[in-house]
Amino acid sequence: MVNSDDATSTADIRAVARVGQICALFGSQAVELSAADIADATGLNRTTAYRYCASMAAAGILERGSRRGTFALGGLMLELGIQALGRRRVVEIAGPHLQRLRSAVRMTAVLGIRGATGPVVALAEEDTSRVVVMTVHPGTRLEPTAAQSQLMLAYGDAAAMEAALAGMPAAQRARLETDVYSARRQGYSVVWNGSTVAVAAPVFDDKGLVATVALLGAGELDLASTLEQLLATARALSAELGHTGEVAADAAT
């Protein structure tokens, strides 16, 4: 016979996991979601999804969206997010480093930190000196194929890699595995998407990888010079965080 307390505890744990799953659906590309959107993404029926959303709104985790029938992340999540960022010293000290890097290479400089399901943009210093402005907004959850994501996977564990590969076609899986291996071997990642490019380097503290710094640009690129400036910034940030080892391989190798 199943103990009723154990059954209740299991149900509570399952509910908490579901709340986390729902919260993870929101992002820069999904600011507001309906109960139907959430049901489709989680496998819940729409009535249950709506009940979860209504309960989460009552607790401040969600709030009513601007469009009828939608929900957005609530004030409690904003407060917790700000507190969580405040505990990450790299976010506190990175601003001046990113500003100097942006000015030196005339590219948008970005700081990414590890989120629940992958890297999330924490800071972005836009380069507005060119006709085409490359940017990404703080709070954006990066795709597994992004330059910063590849570094997070390169210095992460097997579970994170499996989660990133889940559902990918075989060819895309193989490409990502190769790119992640190269990122770890080189100590940096370069991703071209047509005429645009993202170059990323890891930032460490005394416990390991804590963030990534990336540069976004378009058009022709002096890769060697850009990497030199990027890796120098990553080393400076890592040193300020107490890391004493090498951040990345020499860009010239």
Side-chain angles (χ1 to χ4, degrees):
M1 183 175 178
V2 178
N3 184 289
S4 61
D5 289 341
D6 290 343
T8 300
S9 297
T10 300
D12 289 343
I13 291 169
R14 193 176 297 122
V16 170
R18 186 68 74 183
V19 167
Q21 184 184 16
I22 291 171
C23 289
L25 296 176
F26 293 89
S28 62
Q29 303 301 316
V31 177
E32 297 182 351
L33 295 171
S34 67
D37 295 329
I38 291 169
D40 291 342
T42 61
L44 292 170
N45 65 59
R46 294 191 179 189
T47 300
T48 302
Y50 180 81
R51 288 175 178 169
Y52 265 102
C53 291
S55 296
M56 292 167 69
I61 299 171
L62 299 181
E63 63 186 23
R64 299 286 178 172
S66 60
R67 295 179 292 113
R68 184 176 180 180
T70 62
F71 294 86
L73 292 178
L76 177 61
M77 297 300 289
L78 176 62
E79 293 174 15
L80 293 176
I82 291 171
Q83 291 177 27
L85 281 178
R87 290 200 302 271
R88 301 197 181 213
R89 186 162 176 259
V90 65
V91 179
E92 297 177 2
I93 67 175
H97 291 273
L98 295 186
Q99 291 164 12
R100 288 191 293 270
L101 179 61
R102 175 203 62 199
S103 298
V105 298
R106 296 180 61 208
M107 296 172 70
T108 293
V110 178
L111 181 77
I113 60 174
R114 198 185 302 278
T117 57
V120 176
V121 174
L123 296 173
E125 288 291 336
E126 293 183 351
D127 171 52
T128 58
S129 67
R130 302 178 187 268
V131 175
V132 177
V133 178
M134 299 292 297
T135 191
V136 61
H137 299 295
T140 298
R141 187 183 303 135
L142 300 175
E143 295 294 324
T145 53
Q148 294 184 78
S149 300
Q150 291 179 12
L151 283 171
M152 291 283 187
L153 292 171
Y155 292 93
D157 56 26
M161 188 66 184
E162 282 304 311
L165 294 171
M168 283 187 179
Q172 192 175 359
R173 286 174 61 97
R175 175 61 185 271
L176 181 58
E177 288 174 334
T178 299
D179 289 343
V180 168
Y181 173 78
S182 296
R184 182 60 188 259
R185 179 176 57 84
Q186 296 172 153
Y188 59 85
S189 179
V190 181
V191 174
W192 286 93
N193 185 11
S195 62
T196 65
V197 64
V199 190
V203 177
F204 301 97
D205 63 8
D206 58 344
K207 298 181 180 65
L209 184 76
V210 68
T212 52
V213 178
L215 290 169
L216 310 179
E220 294 184 1
L221 175 71
D222 183 345
L223 184 58
S225 176
T226 300
L227 276 172
E228 182 180 1
Q229 297 280 357
L230 177 66
L231 294 173
T233 298
R235 282 192 290 267
L237 267 172
S238 297
E240 197 166 343
L241 291 168
H243 181 69
T244 57
E246 281 297 315
V247 168
D250 189 329
T253 62

